[in-house]
Amino acid sequence: MFEKLALVALAGAAGTLARYWLSGVVYEVAGRDFPWGTAVVNILGCFLFGLVWELGGERMLLRTESRLVLLTGFMGAFTTFSTFIFESSAFLEDGRILPALANVGFQTVLGFAAMFGGLLLGRLL
């Protein structure tokens, strides 16, 4: 049990660092007028979640424990629902309704598309 908790914690640390690095790169490239860093992380996270889920479920290419570590540890720390909601709320507090709706719609629609893309890729591998 301790080994499983340690692996989830290590994967969580790796997910946190990956999110920090990737969102920082995206913000440097795209600027900070829109939460592109959070969006890229969340959409990529949806894709990877679908891929790992499919590879571990139907395809049986990942053991249950590996899938737990990747999905709960890494993906749990990599994606950031609370930041997504915070940034959308900040737009609303500033009276910027269109960017708030765009952020919610953009990330939700592309998140679903990325999830199904990951599932499809997992089935094809």
Side-chain angles (χ1 to χ4, degrees):
M1 181 65 172
F2 178 76
E3 181 182 340
K4 189 183 295 184
L5 291 174
L7 288 173
V8 169
L10 285 173
T16 299
L17 293 173
R19 179 179 77 191
Y20 177 76
W21 173 79
L22 180 58
S23 65
V25 168
V26 171
Y27 280 125
E28 277 196 32
V29 171
R32 294 192 173 270
D33 291 338
F34 192 79
W36 292 112
T38 303
V40 167
V41 164
N42 284 341
I43 293 164
L44 178 61
C46 290
F47 175 79
L48 293 174
F49 196 106
L51 179 63
V52 169
W53 183 264
E54 189 63 31
L55 292 178
E58 294 295 321
R59 304 293 306 272
M60 304 287 282
L61 296 175
L62 292 173
R63 294 182 337 189
T64 302
E65 295 81 14
S66 299
R67 194 163 68 161
L68 170 76
V69 168
L70 289 171
L71 296 180
T72 303
F74 186 84
M75 300 309 297
F78 183 69
T79 58
T80 174
F81 184 75
S82 58
T83 302
F84 160 64
I85 294 299
F86 171 78
E87 290 168 341
S88 299
S89 299
F91 279 135
L92 290 175
E93 284 187 348
D94 291 343
R96 301 175 61 196
I97 294 171
L98 190 57
L101 293 175
N103 193 39
V104 171
F106 173 73
Q107 289 200 47
T108 302
V109 170
L110 285 182
F112 274 114
M115 176 67 72
F116 287 117
L119 290 169
L120 179 62
L121 180 61
R123 290 178 188 135
L124 294 174
L125 293 176

